[in-house]
Amino acid sequence: MAVFVALGAFLMTLAGGWTAQRVTDRRHLVLGLAGGLMLGVVGLDLLPEALEAAGDEVFGVPAALLLFVAGFLFAHLVERLLAARRAAHGADEHGHRSPQVGLTAAAAMVGHSAMDGVAIGAAFQVGGGMGAAVAMAVIAHDFADGFNTYTLTSLYGNARRRAVAMLFADACAPVLGAASTLLFTIPEQALGAYLGLFGGVLLYLAAAEILPEAHHEHPARSTLLCTVAGAAFIWLVVGVAE
């Protein structure tokens, strides 16, 4: 049942990526919406789950928050190192984005989607009602995952076929994650640590890359409204799931 339900997440992820492809003539709106979706996922979904799962404190600070900061700094460090590498080879730091950053970010989205599938499988082990509730939340926000995976991959200069490949991998990940729960389970604290780290990476990409790019050439109110709408959509999804 868990694998069958995860197929809904597969279709919803593809729908999100297809939407991102079809609105390329409104790229600034796409990026504004993606930034809002990513902000909402981090602040309203990932961090609360991480704090609940990884409840231990390290020197007075929840471990999930420390990993969140570590994820943010890690993403910043990776981007700076890649920028220095491009500069050493005579590339324009501001005019050329590194495809590796986009692929790395998309791979993190794939990993997150696999964890979504694991969450579905674990919830169905508890009971049908719990499984249905978790599945509804995952399927609803997988539209945003597909949208963001395609947008992140293509934003950094990767070819369309790479963006489509990462989108397809992201769509398959929940199904494989749900199937994996037949073989093993992930400790709750390890899952919380992963969510905190991934949340920091995602917030960096949204705040330092996606949103500045969205407003670079089109500082219009419509872009800002798309950002607010993206965050509000995740709030709605989380509220319905609760």
Side-chain angles (χ1 to χ4, degrees), residues 116-155:
D116 283 345
V118 171
I120 292 176
F124 269 103
Q125 291 178 2
V126 174
M130 175 67 73
V134 171
M136 181 179 65
V138 169
I139 290 173
H141 90 252
D142 270 354
F143 179 88
D145 285 352
F147 190 98
N148 289 336
T149 298
Y150 185 88
T151 301
L152 283 170
T153 308
S154 58
L155 175 64

Side-chain angles (χ1 to χ4, degrees), residues 49-233:
E49 290 186 18
L51 288 170
E52 182 177 353
D56 293 342
E57 291 189 353
V58 179
F59 205 63
V61 178
L65 290 183
L66 288 175
L67 287 166
F68 173 77
V69 174
F72 189 97
L73 294 175
F74 174 75
H76 178 62
L77 176 63
V78 168
E79 188 193 34
R80 291 297 89 197
L81 289 175
L82 290 173
R85 179 182 173 185
R86 292 196 307 273
H89 288 81
D92 180 6
E93 177 180 340
H94 299 288
H96 298 85
R97 294 178 177 274
S98 173
Q100 292 93 331
V101 173
L103 291 175
T104 301
M109 294 295 295
V110 173
H112 172 58
S113 293
M115 292 300 101
D116 283 345
V118 171
I120 292 176
F124 269 103
Q125 291 178 2
V126 174
M130 175 67 73
V134 171
M136 181 179 65
V138 169
I139 290 173
H141 90 252
D142 270 354
F143 179 88
D145 285 352
F147 190 98
N148 289 336
T149 298
Y150 185 88
T151 301
L152 283 170
T153 308
S154 58
L155 175 64
Y156 285 87
N158 288 285
R160 181 178 179 274
R161 59 182 177 81
R162 283 190 176 182
V164 171
M166 294 306 297
L167 172 63
F168 187 75
D170 189 49
C172 292
V175 180
L176 298 177
S180 72
T181 58
L182 301 174
L183 304 175
F184 63 90
T185 57
I186 296 179
E188 186 178 16
Q189 286 192 335
L191 180 59
Y194 167 78
L195 292 176
L197 186 70
F198 176 61
V201 173
L202 206 59
L203 182 63
Y204 178 82
L205 293 173
E209 298 292 329
I210 303 296
L211 291 177
E213 182 71 15
H215 290 276
H216 178 62
E217 296 181 355
H218 299 274
R221 285 179 293 179
S222 57
T223 305
L224 178 59
L225 288 175
C226 284
T227 303
V228 174
F233 172 74

Side-chain angles (χ1 to χ4, degrees), residues 33-49:
L33 179 62
L37 290 171
M38 293 165 72
L39 176 62
V41 166
V42 171
L44 306 178
D45 188 16
L46 292 182
L47 272 184
E49 290 186 18

